[in-house]
Amino acid sequence: MTTIALPSGTVYVKYSVITHLFARAMCSPAPHGDPRSAYATAYGAVDRKLARAVELGDLRARDPLTLAPHSYPVGDALREAVILVNDLREYSARHGLPEIEPDAGSHCRGN
């Protein structure tokens, strides 16, 4: 499992980007397998885990326009919702997911 580096100063990350970042960080390259299969499996697991966390209130989805708590984060609305980086760091640490850190040299786009 690798650390996820976000651009320095990132305040929030789109939910659909988070699932991608976690899946990539959790996927170790298979020496003789299809890396896309490992990624797809990790993505599905992470997506279900995060969606359930939002549903239970363990991770707070926010409206992408106002950053207020999202009123109905389900389906496409959840995929477009954002999660504050601080909330994501806390959730990740509590659940043994990859560590999230700022990195001014990173090229990933989360917000």
Side-chain angles (χ1 to χ4, degrees):
M1 201 175 331
T2 62
T3 300
I4 297 171
L6 296 176
S8 182
T10 300
V11 175
Y12 59 85
V13 182
K14 189 174 176 180
Y15 176 89
S16 60
V17 171
I18 293 167
T19 53
H20 168 72
L21 293 174
F22 275 146
R24 284 193 51 200
M26 295 169 65
C27 247
S28 56
H32 301 292
D34 183 357
R36 293 172 297 179
S37 176
Y39 170 83
T41 301
Y43 187 94
V46 168
D47 191 37
R48 284 187 301 275
K49 183 177 183 96
L50 293 177
R52 184 72 175 148
V54 169
E55 181 182 335
L56 296 173
D58 196 27
L59 185 61
R60 184 173 299 181
R62 296 184 177 267
D63 182 287
L65 297 176
T66 65
L67 296 184
H70 203 293
S71 59
Y72 192 67
V74 176
D76 286 342
L78 175 58
R79 301 227 179 293
E80 295 298 318
V82 297
I83 308 290
L84 296 178
V85 172
N86 289 337
D87 292 347
L88 192 56
R89 278 191 187 117
E90 291 173 14
Y91 176 81
S92 186
R94 284 193 316 264
H95 294 280
L97 292 169
E99 184 179 332
I100 299 165
E101 63 183 34
D103 179 354
S106 176
H107 62 277
C108 75
R109 306 292 290 166
N111 53 358

